[in-house]
C-alpha cells in the first residue's frame, strides 16, 4: 500500500477511536447511573444497603463505568474494510477511499495510470474535509439526556431520607451483638482448653456445649431466637456439669460465718461470707507465716479459736465432718501451746484450701456460664431493639404485680432450665448478692433518685474499709469521711460488672443489678 494512503487511513482511524472513546465513556456512565438507580430504588423498598454505602459505591461504579466505556470504545476492534466504508460514508467520499485501497491491494485490476490518478484524487478529497466534523469529540445527545435524568433520580434516592435506614441499623446492631457473642464464647473456649481444675470429661463436655452454641451463632441463616436458644442450651449443659456438693459446702461455710468477730478474724469471716475460701486460707497462712514480723499474740490466737468454734457450731447440723475439723482446730488452740496453736491454724487453712480446690471447677464453669449469660443479654437487647420493643419493664415495678414477682432469685423468671441451679449454687464468687443499702426494696433506682444521691454537695458517706490481712482502722469520728459520689460510682459499677462476668446468676438478678447501677449513674 502507498505510504500516503496508509497515513491517511491511520489519521482517520485515530479520529474514529477518540470519537468512540468519548461515546463509550458516556454510555458507560449512563449504564452505571442506571444500575445504581435501580440499586438505590431497591434499597428504599427492602433493607439492603445504607445510603452512605450507596453513595460511595455510586462514585466508584460511575467512575469505573466511564473508564471501562472509554477503554472499550477506543480499543474496540473493527475490520479495515468496515472502517473504510464508514469513512467514505461519513466524509461523503463516494467510495473513493474503499476503491483506492482495493486498487492498492490488487482486488480491482486497472492500468497503473488509472490507479495512480484515482489515489491522488482520493487523497485530495480527504484533505479537503475535516475528520472532526464527521467524528466529533462530544457526547451524543441521547447520552446527555439519559445521564441527566439518571443523575437526578439517583441523587434523589441517595439524599432523601430512606425509610429502611432504621431497619438496617437494627440489623447491624444484631450482627454486632452476634459477633461480640462469638468473640466471648471463643475466649471462653480458650480458657477452658487450658484450665487445670476441670476434669477431662468436664472439659470435653463444656467445650462441646460451647462449640454447638458457636455453630449456631456462625450460621448466617439462624434467627435471633435460635441463637438465644442455643446459648441457653449451652448454659444448661454447663450448669449440669457443676458439683452441687462442693458449692453447697461453700454456701454452708458462708452461712456459718459469724456476723461479728474479733478484728484479727474479721478478714477471714468476710472472705468466707464472700464465698472465697481460697482467700480465707491464704489469710490464715499469712497469720502464721514465719516471715511475719508481728507474730500472733495469745489473745489473737484465742480470738481465732472462738471464730473456729462459731463456724463449727454453724456447720454442726448440715456438715458435721467439716464442723469437727474446725472444732478440733479450736480445741488445739485452747489446750495446746503456741506451736500446737500454729499447727491448728495451719490445719484450718488446709481445710479451707481443700474446699476451695474442690469448688474450683464450679468457679470455672460459673465464669463460662456468666459469659454465656452476658452474650444472651446482648443478643436479647439487640433483638428487642430490632423489634422495637425496647427494654422490658421490671415486674417488681409494674402496677398490680404479684408479691415477690420480678425480685431477684424469685418468681417465674427463675423457673427456666438451669436457672434454679444457678441460683442455688450462687456461692462460686459471692455468697450473698442482696443489696444492703436498700434491702427493703427490690425496685432499681431510677432517674428520680439521682437528685437525692447527688444532694448534700454530691457526696455520700462511705463505711470504713479494710484490706485482707491488715487490721481495720477508723480515721476520725464515724461519718466524718466523705468522698464525692462521682468519684466512687465508677469503681463500684466496674466491680459489679466484673462480678457479673465471673459468676452465673439468675437472669432476673443480672437485669436487676444492671438496672440498679444504671439508675445510680451520675
Amino acid at each position: 500500500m502507498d505510504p500516503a494512503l496508509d497515513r491517511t487511513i491511520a489519521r482517520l482511524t485515530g479520529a474514529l477511536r477518540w470519537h468512540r472513546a468519548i461515546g463509550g465513556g458516556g454510555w458507560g456512565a449512563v449504564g452505571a447511573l442506571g444500575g445504581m438507580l435501580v440499586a438505590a430504588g431497591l434499597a428504599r423498598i427492602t433493607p439492603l444497603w445504607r445510603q452512605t454505602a450507596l453513595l460511595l459505591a455510586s462514585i466508584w461504579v460511575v467512575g469505573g463505568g466511564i473508564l471501562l466505556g472509554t477503554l472499550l470504545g477506543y480499543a474496540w476492534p473493527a475490520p479495515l474494510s468496515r472502517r473504510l466504508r464508514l469513512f467514505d460514508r461519513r466524509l461523503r467520499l463516494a467510495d473513493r477511499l474503499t476503491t483506492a485501497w482495493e486498487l492498492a491491494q490488487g482486488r480491482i485490476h486497472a492500468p497503473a495510470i488509472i490507479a495512480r490518478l484515482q489515489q491522488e484524487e482520493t487523497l485530495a478529497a480527504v484533505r479537503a474535509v475535516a475528520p472532526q466534523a464527521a467524528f466529533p469529540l462530544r457526547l451524543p445527545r441521547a447520552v446527555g439526556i439519559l445521564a441527566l435524568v439518571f443523575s437526578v433520580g439517583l441523587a434523589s434516592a441517595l439524599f432523601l431520607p430512606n425509610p429502611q435506614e432504621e431497619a438496617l441499623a437494627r440489623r447491624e446492631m444484631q450482627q454486632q451483638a452476634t459477633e461480640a457473642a462469638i468473640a466471648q464464647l471463643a475466649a471462653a473456649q480458650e480458657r477452658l482448653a487450658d484450665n487445670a481444675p476441670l476434669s477431662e470429661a468436664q472439659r470435653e463436655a463444656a467445650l462441646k456445649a460451647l462449640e454447638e452454641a458457636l455453630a449456631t451463632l456462625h450460621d448466617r441463616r439462624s434467627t435471633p431466637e435460635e441463637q438465644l436458644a442455643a446459648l441457653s442450651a449451652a448454659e444448661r449443659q454447663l450448669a449440669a456439669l457443676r458439683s452441687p456438693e462442693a458449692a453447697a459446702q461453700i454456701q454452708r461455710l458462708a452461712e456459718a460465718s459469724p456476723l461479728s468477730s474479733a478484728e484479727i478474724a474479721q478478714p477471714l469471716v468476710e472472705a468466707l461470707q464472700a464465698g472465697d475460701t481460697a482467700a480465707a486460707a491464704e489469710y490464715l497462712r499469712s497469720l502464721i507465716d514465719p516471715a511475719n514480723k508481728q507474730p500472733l499474740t495469745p489473745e489473737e490466737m484465742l480470738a481465732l479459736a472462738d471464730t473456729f468454734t462459731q463456724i463449727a457450731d454453724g456447720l454442726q447440723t448440715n456438715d458435721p465432718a467439716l464442723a469437727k475439723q474446725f472444732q478440733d482446730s479450736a480445741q488445739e488452740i485452747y489446750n495446746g501451746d503456741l506451736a500446737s496453736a500454729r499447727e491448728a491454724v495451719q490445719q484450718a487453712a488446709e481445710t479451707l484450701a481443700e474446699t476451695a480446690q474442690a469448688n474450683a471447677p464450679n468457679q470455672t464453669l460459673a465464669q463460662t456460664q456468666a459469659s454465656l449469660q452476658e452474650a444472651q443479654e446482648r443478643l436479647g437487647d439487640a433483638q428487642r431493639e430490632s423489634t422495637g420493643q425496647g427494654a422490658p419493664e421490671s415486674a417488681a415495678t409494674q402496677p398490680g404485680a404479684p408479691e415477690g414477682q420480678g425480685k431477684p432469685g424469685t418468681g417465674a423468671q427463675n423457673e427456666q432450665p438451669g436457672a434454679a441451679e444457678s441460683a442455688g449454687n450462687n456461692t462460686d464468687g459471692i455468697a450473698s448478692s442482696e443489696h444492703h443499702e436498700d434491702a427493703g426494696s427490690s425496685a432499681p433506682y431510677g432517674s428520680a433518685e439521682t437528685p437525692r444521691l447527688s444532694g448534700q454537695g454530691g457526696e455520700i458517706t462511705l463505711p470504713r474499709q479494710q484490706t485482707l490481712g491488715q487490721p481495720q482502722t477508723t480515721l476520725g469520728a464515724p461519718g466524718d469521711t466523705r468522698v464525692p459520689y462521682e468519684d466512687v460510682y465508677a469503681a463500684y459499677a466496674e466491680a459489679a460488672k466484673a462480678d457479673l462476668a465471673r459468676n452465673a446468676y439468675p437472669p432476673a438478678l443480672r437485669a436487676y443489678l444492671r438496672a440498679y447501677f444504671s439508675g445510680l449513674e451520675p
Side-chain angles (χ1 to χ4, degrees):
M1 183 184 297
D2 186 82
L5 181 61
D6 189 44
R7 288 193 299 269
T8 300
I9 294 175
R11 181 168 62 89
L12 295 177
T13 300
L16 175 63
R17 287 183 183 276
W18 284 112
H19 170 74
R20 287 183 171 177
I22 297 297
W27 285 112
V30 168
L33 287 171
M36 291 308 304
L37 180 59
V38 172
L42 291 176
R44 301 181 71 84
I45 298 174
T46 182
L48 293 175
W49 307 284
R50 282 188 173 274
Q51 286 179 287
T52 53
L54 282 173
L55 178 59
L56 183 61
S58 298
I59 296 174
W60 284 101
V61 170
V62 172
I66 294 174
L67 179 61
L68 181 61
T70 301
L71 292 177
L72 288 177
Y74 185 85
W76 193 264
L80 180 57
S81 58
R82 186 181 302 175
R83 279 182 282 154
L84 293 174
R85 287 194 295 271
L86 178 63
F87 297 152
D88 284 332
R89 185 173 64 254
R90 291 285 185 92
L91 298 176
R92 298 180 181 179
L93 297 176
D95 294 335
R96 290 185 178 90
L97 198 59
T98 303
T99 303
W101 176 76
E102 289 179 345
L103 286 171
Q105 294 293 321
R107 296 188 180 186
I108 299 177
H109 299 284
I113 185 64
I114 295 178
R116 182 174 60 81
L117 291 175
Q118 195 278 336
Q119 181 176 326
E120 291 176 355
E121 195 271 338
T122 299
L123 294 177
V126 171
R127 286 194 294 267
V129 297
Q132 289 75 15
F135 306 108
L137 298 179
R138 64 172 182 268
L139 292 174
R141 182 184 301 271
V143 171
I145 295 174
L146 289 176
L148 179 61
V149 172
F150 288 169
S151 297
V152 172
L154 181 59
S156 301
L158 290 178
F159 294 105
L160 291 178
N162 186 357
Q164 301 298 331
E165 284 287 318
E166 187 176 351
L168 285 169
R170 292 195 297 264
R171 177 189 293 177
E172 290 176 1
M173 183 183 301
Q174 190 74 42
Q175 291 175 348
Q176 291 172 0
T178 302
E179 292 172 359
I182 290 173
Q184 210 161 10
L185 266 63
Q189 272 189 321
E190 293 180 3
R191 290 195 300 269
L192 288 178
D194 300 326
N195 196 277
L198 293 178
S199 66
E200 191 62 31
Q202 285 177 317
R203 183 181 295 106
E204 289 181 0
L207 289 174
K208 181 180 179 182
L210 292 179
E211 189 63 36
E212 292 174 352
L214 278 171
T216 303
L217 293 177
H218 280 296
D219 187 0
R220 294 186 177 275
R221 296 171 297 178
S222 62
T223 63
E225 292 78 9
E226 292 172 341
Q227 294 175 353
L228 287 171
L231 292 175
S232 180
E235 186 187 353
R236 289 196 298 271
Q237 294 175 33
L238 292 176
L241 296 174
R242 296 168 65 178
S243 170
E245 295 79 9
Q249 195 170 53
I250 297 290
Q251 179 68 25
R252 288 193 290 267
L253 278 170
E255 294 173 351
S257 301
L259 296 178
S260 61
S261 183
E263 187 172 346
I264 189 66
Q266 190 64 27
L268 168 67
V269 171
E270 291 184 355
L272 291 177
Q273 290 175 348
D276 195 350
T277 52
E282 187 61 30
Y283 175 67
L284 290 180
R285 291 194 186 103
S286 68
L287 293 178
I288 58 174
D289 189 350
N292 193 349
K293 296 181 180 180
Q294 295 180 348
L296 295 176
T297 64
E299 292 77 10
E300 290 174 333
M301 295 294 286
L302 289 176
L304 284 176
D306 292 340
T307 302
F308 291 166
T309 300
Q310 294 175 12
I311 295 174
D313 292 341
L315 293 171
Q316 193 63 49
T317 302
N318 296 325
D319 198 336
L322 189 58
K324 185 177 185 305
Q325 294 182 34
F326 277 98
Q327 188 62 53
D328 291 345
S329 297
Q331 195 62 39
E332 285 289 336
I333 297 176
Y334 289 139
N335 299 334
D337 55 14
L338 185 59
S340 299
R342 293 174 66 87
E343 291 179 1
V345 174
Q346 178 66 29
Q347 181 59 39
E350 295 301 327
T351 299
L352 293 175
E354 291 173 1
T355 304
Q357 185 176 3
N359 193 56
N362 283 347
Q363 290 181 323
T364 300
L365 294 171
Q367 184 179 7
T368 308
Q369 279 185 269
S371 298
L372 286 167
Q373 289 176 346
E374 189 172 351
Q376 289 182 70
E377 289 177 2
R378 289 182 177 179
L379 287 175
D381 292 343
Q383 183 184 16
R384 285 189 291 271
E385 289 289 339
S386 64
T387 56
Q389 295 178 359
E393 184 180 4
S394 173
T397 62
Q398 295 176 1
E403 183 178 359
Q405 180 179 349
K407 293 183 180 180
T410 63
Q413 297 185 35
N414 287 333
E415 295 178 3
Q416 303 173 5
E421 184 173 356
S422 297
N425 295 341
N426 187 20
T427 59
D428 302 316
I430 296 181
S432 175
S433 59
E434 68 174 345
H435 131 70
H436 300 287
E437 178 186 331
D438 195 14
S441 172
S442 64
Y445 289 120
S447 58
E449 302 296 334
T450 304
R452 176 179 70 83
L453 293 170
S454 60
Q456 303 297 328
E459 297 177 338
I460 59 173
T461 302
L462 294 178
R464 60 182 182 173
Q465 299 180 352
Q466 69 179 26
T467 304
L468 194 64
Q470 296 180 356
Q472 185 179 29
T473 59
T474 303
L475 300 177
D480 285 349
T481 303
R482 289 177 177 269
V483 296
Y485 166 65
E486 292 80 1
D487 291 352
V488 298
Y489 168 80
Y492 287 156
E494 190 64 30
K497 181 180 178 181
D499 186 69
L500 288 176
R502 286 194 304 267
N503 299 288
Y505 293 108
L509 178 57
R510 297 178 68 87
Y512 167 75
L513 289 175
R514 293 185 184 278
Y516 174 80
F517 279 98
S518 296
L520 287 177
E521 185 174 3

